[in-house]
Amino acid sequence: MVGTSAVADAGPGIGPRLTVSAKEHVAEGIVSLTLTHPGGARLPDWTPGSHIDLVLPDGTTRQYSLCGDRWDAHTYRIAVLREPAGRGGSAQVHDRLRPGDRVGVGAPRNHFPLVPSEKYLFIAGGIGITPLLPMVRQAELLGAEWQLLYGGRTRKSMAFREELTAAYGERVHVVPQDELGLLDLVAWLGTPRPDTKVYCCGPTPLLAAVEAACTAWPPFALRTERFTAAEQSAPVRDTAFEVELRRTGRTVTVTQEVSVLEAVRRAGADVLSSCEQGTCGTCLTPVLAGRPDHRDSVLADHERAANDCMFLCVSRSCGDRLVIDL
C-alpha cells in the first residue's frame, strides 16, 4: 500500500506523507494513531483545537482533531471513532491502516481556538473529547482554573478517560450515561459566569442542549465544534449565479444542482475538501467581491458579516456574482 522511497507529496493542499508509527485501541470502537515524519523531521506547529486532513488509502480525505502533546514537535496523535453509518473513512482507519503505513497529512488548521480566560468549562460528548484534550493541558499550563465535564455511553466507550482522571483527578467529571444518565447541564450552566469560557464538542443533541443552557451567558462565552452539519434554512436564492476565479481569470456558472466547489473544480481549480458538509474548514476560500450566502457550521456571526471568505462545499451567493481568490 505504501512505498519506502523518500517522502512524496500527497496531493494539492497536503504536505509530506507521514508514517503511522503506532496504532492503539483507546476505547470501545475508538483507535488512536500516532503519526511521525519518516525522516524524523520536525512537524508543523499547532495550537489546541487544531485538526488535520488525513488522506486515506482510497484517496478520500477526512478531518481529525489533534489530541496529542502540542509541545512534541515530532509527533501528531489523532483518535478515530468507528462509525458504521458513516461514509467509510473511519472503517478504513480501523481496518486498513497499520503501523509502518504512510498517509498524506495536511497542515494543521484551527477553527476552534482556545482564547484567553481566567476560567474554563470544557464539555465533551464521546469522541468530542479529542479537541478538548490539548485545551485542558494548555489551561493547566497557563494556571487557569478549569473543569472538564465528560459524558459518554459507557465508561468503556470513553477514550482517554483513565489518562485524564490520573492526571487531573477531581477536576475531571466523568458521566457514563448507562450509570448516571445525561449530563446535568442546568447544574453546570444554569448560572452565567462572566469570567468563564465554555468549550463544547460532541454530538448534535449535546451541542443543542448546551447552546440552550447558555442563552443567558455573555456573548461569545460559548464556543462549539461540530462533527455534523447544523440544520440550515433554505438558500437565499434558488437561481444560478456566476463565480469568477480571479487568479485564473475564468468565470463559472453555478446552478442549483451543483455546489460552488463542484463548479470551480470543473473549471480546473484544485481545491482540497474533506467533509463537504461545511463542518471541517478544509475548503475555506477568500472572497474578493460579492456577498456569500454562508451555509457552514464553522464561522461565527462576526466572521460571516465580514464577507471575506466562504466554504465552497456548501455556501452559495446572495447576489448574481461572486469573485473568489482562486
Side-chain angles (χ1 to χ4, degrees):
M1 178 173 64
V2 180
T4 57
S5 60
V7 178
D9 187 359
I14 294 291
R17 292 183 181 273
L18 300 185
T19 300
V20 179
S21 57
K23 180 178 181 179
E24 178 186 2
H25 287 271
V26 292
E28 195 174 71
I30 300 175
V31 296
S32 72
L33 300 181
T34 302
L35 307 172
T36 56
H37 192 289
R42 181 188 181 99
L43 301 178
D45 293 337
W46 57 281
T47 53
S50 295
H51 63 262
I52 56 173
D53 288 306
L54 195 70
V55 180
L56 297 170
D58 70 350
T60 60
T61 304
R62 293 291 183 267
Q63 167 210 357
Y64 298 106
S65 296
L66 288 167
C67 60
D69 180 1
R70 64 166 298 209
W71 302 109
D72 180 351
H74 297 87
T75 299
Y76 288 161
R77 181 175 71 168
I78 61 173
V80 181
L81 169 69
R82 181 189 287 275
E83 299 184 65
R87 295 177 291 162
S90 65
Q92 289 190 64
V93 173
H94 279 253
D95 300 337
R96 295 184 61 181
L97 288 184
R98 298 288 184 269
D101 291 343
R102 292 188 192 176
V103 290
V105 175
R109 298 188 310 281
N110 197 342
H111 298 290
F112 190 42
L114 184 70
V115 300
S117 181
E118 296 178 25
K119 301 177 182 179
Y120 297 97
L121 173 60
F122 302 108
I123 304 175
I127 196 63
I129 190 62
T130 51
L132 301 185
L133 273 176
M135 294 188 182
V136 165
R137 297 191 189 97
Q138 185 75 2
E140 180 73 2
L141 181 66
L142 294 173
E145 292 184 34
W146 63 269
Q147 293 189 81
L148 168 65
L149 185 60
Y150 183 11
R153 292 181 293 103
T154 66
R155 289 183 186 273
K156 291 182 178 180
S157 71
M158 300 171 73
F160 310 115
R161 171 179 55 83
E162 293 181 352
E163 175 183 320
L164 283 161
T165 54
Y168 305 115
E170 293 182 355
R171 280 177 293 175
V172 178
H173 305 269
V174 175
V175 185
Q177 185 176 346
D178 65 337
E179 299 176 27
L180 301 173
L182 297 174
L183 300 178
D184 188 352
L185 297 178
V186 173
W188 286 91
L189 299 169
T191 302
R193 286 165 267 167
D195 60 351
T196 301
K197 292 287 189 292
V198 181
Y199 279 79
C200 180
C201 185
T204 299
L206 173 63
L207 295 178
V210 170
E211 288 170 350
C214 285
T215 53
W217 282 62
F220 308 116
L222 171 63
R223 294 165 185 260
T224 62
E225 183 169 64
R226 295 179 177 274
F227 292 142
T228 57
E231 186 175 342
Q232 300 286 345
S233 59
V236 169
R237 59 184 292 146
D238 57 6
T239 55
F241 56 93
E242 291 187 335
V243 175
E244 177 188 335
L245 286 64
R246 175 59 57 85
R247 279 189 259 168
T248 64
R250 299 196 64 175
T251 297
V252 298
T253 299
V254 181
T255 62
Q256 282 183 276
E257 295 75 26
V258 300
S259 66
V260 177
L261 178 65
E262 292 174 275
V264 301
R265 280 179 166 173
R266 291 176 185 176
D270 225 341
V271 182
L272 184 68
S273 65
S274 177
C275 70
E276 300 194 4
Q277 298 176 334
T279 61
C280 74
T282 305
C283 63
L284 183 66
T285 301
V287 174
L288 305 178
R291 187 160 68 92
D293 175 13
H294 295 290
R295 306 185 61 73
D296 63 273
S297 302
V298 178
L299 295 178
D301 289 343
H302 69 282
E303 294 171 316
R304 295 182 178 213
N307 288 321
D308 58 2
C309 62
M310 65 183 289
F311 292 99
L312 302 185
C313 64
V314 292
S315 297
R316 301 187 71 79
S317 178
C318 293
D320 295 332
R321 187 178 181 86
L322 287 173
V323 181
I324 60 177
D325 190 17
L326 283 179

